[in-house]
Amino acid sequence: MGEIPDIMDELFHAWVPSPNPELLPEHLRKDPVRGYGLFCFYQGLALGLRLDQACRPD
């Protein structure tokens, strides 16, 4: 994998909050790395789907 573009870093920090165990489902609070990874993946997927919808003609 190559270098992460600066825009990706900016978007990540603008879109994804710092880790907060209170935002995680109960079963993931004891595994914060996995929980935060899943949370970030969910946020990225949701953003991608919204971008897809925004780019489609009406």
Side-chain angles (χ1 to χ4, degrees), residues 15-16 38-54:
W15 189 257
V16 180
L38 181 60
F39 178 80
C40 292
F41 177 77
Y42 173 79
Q43 292 295 321
L45 185 59
L47 176 60
L49 291 171
R50 286 195 299 274
L51 286 170
D52 178 61
Q53 288 297 314

Side-chain angles (χ1 to χ4, degrees), residues 1 3 5 9 18-20 28 32-33 37-38 40 49-51 54:
M1 183 171 164
E3 186 176 323
D9 187 55
S18 297
N20 180 353
L28 291 173
V33 173
L38 181 60
C40 292
L49 291 171
R50 286 195 299 274
L51 286 170

